[in-house]
Amino acid sequence: MTAEVVRIGVLGCGNVGGALVELVERRRGAIEARTGVRLEITKIAVRDLSRIRPGDIASNLFTNDPEAVVNSPDVDLVVETMGGIEPARSLILTALTNGKPVVTANKALLASHGVELYTAADAASRDLLFEAAVAGGIPIIRPLRESLAGEPITRVMGIVNGTTNFILSQMSESGVGYADALAQAQALGYAEADPTADVEGFDAGAKAAIIASIAFGVSVTADDVYHEGITKVTADDIAVAARLGYVVKLLAIAEHDAATDEVAVRVHPAMVANSHPLATVRDAYNAIFVEGAAVGSLMFYGRGAGGYPTASAVLGDLIDAAVNLGKQAHASLGVFAAPKLRAIDDTRSEYYLPFDVVDRPGVLHAVTGVFARHDVSIRTAEQHGLGADARLVFITHDAREADVQATLRDLADLDVVRRIGGVLRVVDV
Ligand SMILES: NC(=O)c1ccc[n+]([C@@H]2O[C@H](COP(=O)([O-])OP(=O)(O)OC[C@H]3O[C@@H](n4cnc5c(N)ncnc54)[C@H](OP(=O)(O)O)[C@@H]3O)[C@@H](O)[C@H]2O)c1
């Protein structure tokens, strides 16, 4: 059998692009034997041509003109691993218009301009594949798009940011505070010098938007996602959670309510019961827990970032797109409806609420009276002495966010309440 050669232009040769180029070289023979398609990298765009690149890549492949890659007659298929919104967006649109399928790892771009790009791919009858954009090496986009295409997904809950999972794991297991755990993550290369995108939940929010769009067939952008980060989680919250049988995790949650057709997408730290499969996900690992009406619960687990795990997902897409190109086929992304977004105020959860109060008779009565007034019912209550004060810790039954916020506002006005600690949502099995 004569192999069909598919010529690839790669935009970006950093952590992911560099690992991809190496994997293509290493796996070329095996891929050809299995698929009949020979992958040849013909162009690689970078910003700085003078930078020494790892591996053994022929220098004549490099260019600092990415436009030349997407317009080249010597490129059949484009891999975008440069990141950012522009010029990545325009380059992908040009590649598709030129009839070249595109594989991308760019979560920020898909979370802001996904539907524009999916529509352009369908109009050009070309693949736009992006498994690597959510949770790096973990297959989640393809399972949602293909394996679960017939499944009404009710909820997807994920630990989709390795940096914050590492920090929270350190805080849980070594008892250190947030600042020390962050410094450790930075020293190990898990956190950037400016960790804002990770610790404030922006990165997880972008992934949640992509997951919600694919799982529910609606167009959700990062701006639609409510997010809270982990910077207010204290060692004390984590210790109390542990005593009550929970671990604290930063969760990305996308829910669809079949009764109202509403979609709710949010990122926040949560207390996850030790018995829940997500509670076992430690260090920089990621996992995504999917719930469907017929299939029940599924969990996808692995390395959510890093050059090679992410490049592995890019390579899987690349092979798929190359084989499809040979057949003049492509996988349609279908129609994305405008979502009926449920406001965070209307979402429901159980809540963990800690307070420091004056330790004197009648305080508990005053505090629980505020909860009753807002229809927030208490599932468990704990009280500990703190010298002249006391710490009250409540876990509520399922309650509406707006009612909990109103309760907190009124409690802040009570003169017996000294301080309201970090509020956490609670996820049981
Ligand atoms: N790293 C991960 O673990 C991971 C995981 C999942 C998804 N992703 C996504 O993968 C993408 C790439 O991430 P990365 O970590 O590989 O980034 P990176 O190491 O910073 O690499 C970016 C590459 O793109 C090139 N580049 C950037 N802007 C360019 C421009 N205007 N023209 C030409 N070349 C340009 C850079 O060139 P120079 O080398 O010359 O600077 C570099 O080679 C991002 O969208 C990211 O969100 C990354």
Side-chain angles (χ1 to χ4, degrees), residues 38-194:
R38 183 172 177 79
L39 303 177
E40 295 284 0
I41 294 176
T42 49
K43 286 199 184 310
I44 304 172
V46 292
R47 216 170 0 204
D48 180 358
L49 284 173
S50 68
R51 186 171 289 174
I52 310 278
R53 308 284 162 183
D56 197 16
I57 311 171
S59 59
N60 65 344
L61 296 185
F62 287 101
T63 170
N64 58 6
D65 180 2
E67 286 281 347
V69 175
V70 295
N71 286 310
S72 170
D74 299 331
V75 167
D76 303 311
L77 194 157
V78 170
V79 173
E80 186 276 306
T81 55
M82 62 198 278
I85 307 299
E86 286 294 354
R89 171 184 158 274
S90 303
L91 292 166
I92 290 176
L93 289 171
T94 304
L96 291 168
T97 307
N98 288 341
K100 303 179 200 302
V102 176
V103 175
T104 178
N106 193 331
K107 63 202 131 190
L109 177 60
L110 293 173
S112 55
H113 295 82
V115 171
E116 178 192 19
L117 297 171
Y118 309 149
T119 307
D122 270 352
S125 300
R126 289 292 179 266
D127 274 325
L128 172 62
L129 301 179
F130 48 91
E131 185 59 72
V134 176
I138 304 173
I140 182 64
I141 299 298
R142 199 177 304 270
L144 288 173
R145 271 178 65 170
E146 296 178 7
S147 325
L148 298 168
E151 181 69 40
I153 304 290
T154 49
R155 182 163 68 160
V156 183
M157 275 197 303
I159 296 170
V160 291
N161 181 273
T163 308
T164 46
N165 204 46
F166 177 84
I167 292 171
L168 292 170
S169 296
Q170 285 303 306
M171 291 173 75
S172 291
E173 292 165 25
S174 313
V176 294
Y178 169 76
D180 286 343
L182 170 62
Q184 212 173 333
Q186 284 168 324
L188 289 168
Y190 288 136
E192 310 265 343
D194 175 359

Side-chain angles (χ1 to χ4, degrees), residues 205-417:
K207 293 165 182 168
I210 299 170
I211 288 173
S213 300
I214 303 301
F216 309 136
V218 290
S219 113
V220 177
T221 68
D223 289 343
D224 298 324
V225 181
Y226 171 86
H227 60 92
E228 281 171 32
I230 62 162
T231 55
K232 295 200 186 87
V233 177
T234 64
D236 199 38
D237 293 332
I238 286 182
V240 175
R243 212 176 48 246
L244 296 171
Y246 295 89
V247 286
V248 177
K249 298 288 181 193
L250 183 71
L251 295 186
I253 303 177
E255 290 171 318
H256 178 245
D257 182 339
T260 61
D261 201 27
E262 284 176 310
V263 167
V265 195
R266 58 193 191 272
V267 171
H268 53 65
M271 280 177 29
V272 179
N274 285 337
S275 52
H276 194 286
L278 286 172
T280 61
V281 180
R282 299 174 52 247
D283 288 340
Y285 277 87
N286 283 196
I288 299 166
F289 191 79
V290 180
E291 295 163 78
V295 77
S297 303
L298 303 163
M299 190 158 93
F300 302 82
Y301 169 86
R303 290 245 175 241
Y308 288 103
T310 309
S312 165
V314 173
L315 181 55
D317 278 351
L318 174 52
I319 294 168
D320 207 19
V323 169
N324 277 347
L325 187 64
K327 298 181 191 153
Q328 287 297 306
H330 79 287
S332 170
L333 282 148
V335 175
F336 290 81
K340 276 168 75 181
L341 288 170
R342 178 174 286 171
I344 186 72
D345 269 357
D346 294 324
T347 58
R348 301 188 69 87
S349 181
E350 295 174 10
Y351 290 80
Y352 156 87
L353 305 166
F355 310 97
D356 293 348
V357 295
V358 177
D359 195 4
R360 66 169 186 247
V363 169
L364 191 57
H365 181 71
V367 168
T368 54
V370 175
F371 278 77
R373 216 162 51 234
H374 292 288
D375 214 16
V376 176
S377 96
I378 294 166
R379 175 156 71 84
T380 61
E382 270 195 11
Q383 180 168 356
H384 311 276
L386 286 176
D389 290 346
R391 161 84 37 92
L392 290 178
V393 174
F394 296 123
I395 294 183
T396 71
H397 283 292
D398 188 57
R400 193 170 151 264
E401 171 82 21
D403 297 333
V404 172
Q405 293 302 336
T407 305
L408 293 173
R409 276 196 298 276
D410 284 4
L411 284 169
D413 288 343
L414 285 188
D415 57 2
V416 294
V417 173

